[in-house]
């Protein structure tokens, strides 16, 4: 059987067994067989530069993480109803990375479970039900989270208790964001709904990546608190050293959340997620409710989480995200100047960036789709964001180096120069 | 520092960092440091016979599972938006274990996520919202599932769209179960709610373990279908060879569910869960909704899932569950005859059993609590079930052998003979 027919057979089997709800990236789906550092390798041995995946936070298949995983899995893997020092040690190491007010943690397997738990807590504590999210937010896959994740599209209608606001954008974004949140609060109250929480991804990733200016979320956070609600910072995508200047993206804004949810990068691929929280909030929830997550915080996931923190510290990955991240943002600004006919704006901080194309969002979205496939052919993996996928999403593993960056920028420079892209955008 | 003070220090640190929502088993919490087969070992080197944990389905730290986990984690760990043969292979191997009508599968990390997804599907497909569960059901930790898990207690009120029914019990349990479901359907309809699904754990574990007579759920399943709803079989606890006679507990009743949810034992401790479903149902859901679970079905979890299936097949664990399970049920029946003053009833099939104590449920619950701690001192780990924890839950890893069973029955015979227990029960 040729490689091509074997690939087609695999795709047919995949479709037959996994059904229609699964999607794949690229017109020609990627079929990696090996990963190392910031590279994925396909079955033909071709290397791809991974400038997309944040889950393998410390790099694909990091040997220290794999070793910690294998060693603990061979020794003991139970659950939190028995006592184990590693979950306590990991909890202490993790909460030590936060403001002292955020001193307790509960473990789940996924960011969805962490956000879902945070919703249960804010409802129990505030007595309210109203939730405010951004206009293209994504917070997870549970039924409750689908109701407040407008990015899932019209097939998942928003709940009657949900209001959306535009993310902060532009130099006076903070004022407009706060004003939108106040309007949303008034709308909830007018409907007889008590506001429970303002919940947003602290880099507004699915909205299109909005990080500036620093401090721009403070007014909105103050507004929800004045209304008796809480602020949940969704750091599932943003967190764990990626913004470089800080461990968590919310710190850039000088605010302290009431609850922080964590996921994707924590376990570098192992299903590990968490909710970090003020003890006074958890006291009320935990006193009346037991919460047991079968796999959450088991010794294996704790061992993995500890190894990830060790690697970030020992390899200086936050410092790397800061320095290479600055170079990334500078490089993208230069590319925007070189390609003014196709690039509308670049945004980002550290190793999180968006490159928005010109034109109506739908057209720009088609342009990004074309560009992602073009970049894949060039051996560089990227993603998209924004309500119409109109911006390139750049979000590499944290050990992304200067040489990797040079390779990315060169490929992107070529991709942005192609007639095919200009043709789509009418540029 | 003495062992005892170090233990107390760990407990204090645990409480300070993890907060009040975490519980632990036993008056003297167990602190295992190593697991192998059906044994856990504590820090002092003492062995405990594990007759409780179903998650380490093929035994604690099975070397073939650990090897598969470590090898795949070292090679590649990405997600389902790239193509990988192992998820397809695992999906095919898993669905091959079901009726041909149940030919598609979607992967999640936890049984909660699987049940939550099933709810999203039945709502989308039926257009209804009404859900019928049993009176002490537990289906998971998400906000949506907490609303239909009465076993979580009064702090988690049931949703207005939820109705409860008593599990089938006794020789005419099938007729009463069907009648209860019909009444629940009528109640939903009277409230203007269209029934979406009947959802139950196919061994009714949290209700107290009810498996007999075979076929007793058929009338209820027919009733929900007549009303336009679907039947979701929650096999998160029950499934994967445990009942011995069949791979899945629902098969014992001669019914074919519309959706089956799977969790705990699938990954033998690795966070792996799934929803197995009729393709016509998934077609409708998948056509309008994308569903992406970041870690669900990644190459590592697929490799682990495949290894678990291999071990079950190669070590004859279903056959073991059948033969040792029969001996377990016989042995418990004998114990019930020997201790008629304390044992009210024994129920179960294969390696799933309940021993219900005499007396009012609250008193029996205190008796079980006493017995669990007594058995822990004897080196045997067990759990409880029922609305007041009034029944002993016996649910060992699948490689539970005849010698292990003899040890369990001897210890239980002694435990049931103690004056302390008789005193609590007033026997």
């Amino acid at each position: 059987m040729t490689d091509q027919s074997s690939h087609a057979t695999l795709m047919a089997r995949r479709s037959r067994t996994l059904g229609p709800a699964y999607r794949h990236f690229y017109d020609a789906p990627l079929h990696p067989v090996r990963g190392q550092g910031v590279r994925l390798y396909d079955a033909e041995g071709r290397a791809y530069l991974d400038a997309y995946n944040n889950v393998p936070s410390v790099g694909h298949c990091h040997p220290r993480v794999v070793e910690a995983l294998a060693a603990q899995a061979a020794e003991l893997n139970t659950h939190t109803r028995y006592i184990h020092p590693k979950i306590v040690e990991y909890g202490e190491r993790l909460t030590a990375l936060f403001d002292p007010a955020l001193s307790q943690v509960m473990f789940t397997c996924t960011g969805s479970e962490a956000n879902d738990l945070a919703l249960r807590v804010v409802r129990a504590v505030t007595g309210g039900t109203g939730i405010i999210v951004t206009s293209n937010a994504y917070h997870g896959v549970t039924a409750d989270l689908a109701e407040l994740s407008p990015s899932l599209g019209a097939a998942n209608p928003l709940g009657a208790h949900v209001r959306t606001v535009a993310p902060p954008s532009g130099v006076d974004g903070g004022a407009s964001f706060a004003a939108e949140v106040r309007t949303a609060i008034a709308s909830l109250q007018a409907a007889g709904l008590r506001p429970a929480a303002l919940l947003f991804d602290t880099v507004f990733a699915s909205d299109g990546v909005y990080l500036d200016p620093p401090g721009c979320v403070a007014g909105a956070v103050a507004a929800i608190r004045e209304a008796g609600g809480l602020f949940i910072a969704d750091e599932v995508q943003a967190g764990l050293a990626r913004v470089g200047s800080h461990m968590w993206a919310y710190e850039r804004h000088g605010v302290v959340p009431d609850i922080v949810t964590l996921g994707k990068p924590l376990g570098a691929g192992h299903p590990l997620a968490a909710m970090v929280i003020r003890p006074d909030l958890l006291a009320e929830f935990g006193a009346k409710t037991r919460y047991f997550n079968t796999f959450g915080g088991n010794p294996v996931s704790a061992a993995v989480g500890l190894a990830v923190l060790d690697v970030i510290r020992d390899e200086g990955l936050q410092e790397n995200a800061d320095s290479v991240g600055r170079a990334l943002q500078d490089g993208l600004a230069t590319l925007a100047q070189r390609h003014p006919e196709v690039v509308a704006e670049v945004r980002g901080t550290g190793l999180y960036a968006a490159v928005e194309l010109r034109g109506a969002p739908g057209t720009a979205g088609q342009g990004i789709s074309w560009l992602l496939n073009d970049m894949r052919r060039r051996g560089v993996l990227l993603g998209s964001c924004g309500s119409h996928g109109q911006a390139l999403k750049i979000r590499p593993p944290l050990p992304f180096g200067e040489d990797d960056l040079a390779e990315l920028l060169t490929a992107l420079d070529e991709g942005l120069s192609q007639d095919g892209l200009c043709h789509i955008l009418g540029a």
Side-chain angles (χ1 to χ4, degrees), chain A residues 55 150 188 286 308 335 426:
Chain A
V55 170
L188 287 169
V308 169
L335 280 186

Side-chain angles (χ1 to χ4, degrees), chain A residues 17 24 40 56 104 122 150 192 211 230 240 249 268 310 316 390 424:
Chain A
T17 302
H24 57 71
L40 287 173
Q104 290 188 336
V122 297
L211 279 147
L230 297 167
L240 204 64
D310 288 346
Q390 73 273 28
I424 290 169

Side-chain angles (χ1 to χ4, degrees), chain A residues 341-420:
Chain A
E341 71 290 357
V342 290
V343 176
E345 188 176 52
V346 297
R347 298 181 293 268
T349 292
L351 289 177
Y352 218 129
V355 178
E356 182 143 342
L357 297 186
R358 290 203 178 279
T363 307
Q366 292 172 37
I368 288 293
S369 178
W370 186 94
L371 187 60
L372 288 179
N373 283 291
D374 180 76
M375 293 294 284
R376 179 223 188 281
R377 285 187 293 269
R378 293 174 197 281
V380 176
L381 306 179
L382 291 162
S384 66
C385 59
S387 58
H388 293 70
Q390 73 273 28
L392 206 58
K393 181 162 69 176
I394 302 175
R395 193 188 55 177
L398 297 175
F400 204 71
E402 289 179 13
D403 291 352
D404 304 317
L405 175 60
E407 185 179 336
L408 166 65
L409 292 173
T410 299
L412 198 49
D413 192 22
E414 288 169 10
L416 292 169
S417 306
Q418 299 302 302
D419 290 343

Side-chain angles (χ1 to χ4, degrees), chain A residues 27 69 103 126 147 175 225 240 244 254 269 290 294 378 416:
Chain A
D27 297 338
L69 172 77
S103 63
T126 67
E147 280 198 334
R225 286 178 174 153
L240 204 64
R290 68 178 164 93
T294 300
R378 293 174 197 281
L416 292 169

Side-chain angles (χ1 to χ4, degrees), chain A residues 1-266:
Chain A
M1 199 152 50
T2 66
D3 279 350
Q4 200 170 3
S5 77
S6 112
H7 182 76
T9 303
L10 181 62
M11 291 299 290
R13 289 168 55 201
R14 179 183 192 267
S15 174
R16 191 164 56 235
T17 302
L18 304 183
Y22 279 88
R23 305 287 190 267
H24 57 71
F25 284 144
Y26 308 118
D27 297 338
L30 192 70
H31 179 161
V33 298
R34 189 166 70 82
Q36 192 178 359
V38 299
R39 306 276 160 175
L40 287 173
Y41 300 86
D42 71 13
E44 287 77 43
R46 183 174 180 199
Y48 291 83
L49 177 64
D50 187 353
Y52 170 73
N53 286 295
N54 58 339
V55 170
S57 48
V58 294
H60 288 278
C61 306
H62 195 292
R64 286 180 70 182
V65 176
V66 174
E67 191 186 327
L69 172 77
Q72 187 60 52
E75 187 175 282
L76 182 75
N77 189 17
T78 51
H79 51 75
T80 54
R81 281 175 172 165
Y82 303 136
I83 308 302
H84 197 272
K86 274 192 185 153
I87 183 181
V88 177
E89 186 186 345
Y90 182 52
E92 291 173 344
R93 288 272 302 275
L94 193 59
T95 52
L97 299 173
F98 288 84
D99 186 275
L102 294 161
S103 63
Q104 290 188 336
V105 60
M106 292 181 68
F107 292 106
T108 64
C109 295
T110 66
S112 290
E113 287 188 335
N115 276 328
D116 197 286
L117 174 58
L119 288 180
R120 289 182 63 191
V121 172
V122 297
R123 285 175 191 144
V125 170
T126 67
T129 56
I131 306 287
I132 301 169
V133 296
T134 55
S135 43
N136 199 47
Y138 174 75
H139 294 293
V141 296
T142 69
D144 227 39
L145 294 170
E147 280 198 334
L148 48 78
S149 291
S151 71
L152 290 175
N156 290 278
L158 297 186
H161 60 290
V162 179
R163 296 294 181 278
T164 62
V165 296
S169 164
V171 287
D172 61 352
S176 67
F177 188 49
E180 291 236 358
V181 168
R182 284 202 190 87
T183 302
I185 290 168
S187 168
L188 287 169
Q189 290 167 335
L193 299 164
R194 195 186 302 183
L198 169 64
L199 163 64
F200 59 81
D201 166 358
T202 48
V203 298
F204 302 96
S206 56
D207 287 292
V209 183
Y210 294 91
L211 279 147
D212 288 305
C216 66
V217 308
V221 170
I224 189 69
R225 286 178 174 153
E226 280 161 27
L230 297 167
F231 166 38
I232 306 169
D234 181 335
E235 291 267 348
V236 171
Q237 287 207 41
L240 204 64
R242 176 160 297 280
V243 298
S245 60
H246 301 84
M247 184 59 75
W248 314 107
Y250 73 77
E251 296 177 279
R252 243 180 126 249
H253 294 299
V255 295
V256 178
D258 301 296
I259 300 176
V260 182
T261 53
L262 307 173
K264 301 186 192 296
L266 280 196

Side-chain angles (χ1 to χ4, degrees), chain A residues 259-324:
Chain A
I259 300 176
V260 182
T261 53
L262 307 173
K264 301 186 192 296
L266 280 196
H270 188 79
L272 169 60
M275 176 185 74
V276 176
I277 186 168
R278 282 169 34 201
D280 59 309
L281 301 178
L282 198 51
E284 199 166 337
F285 179 74
K288 37 187 188 187
T289 308
R290 68 178 164 93
Y291 179 93
F292 175 63
N293 190 305
T294 300
F295 308 119
N298 69 25
V300 171
S301 65
V304 168
L306 284 165
V308 169
L309 293 185
D310 288 346
V311 172
I312 289 174
R313 178 196 61 204
D314 296 347
E315 298 186 5
L317 294 184
Q318 186 180 343
E319 296 76 3
N320 186 71
D322 195 34
S323 63
V324 179

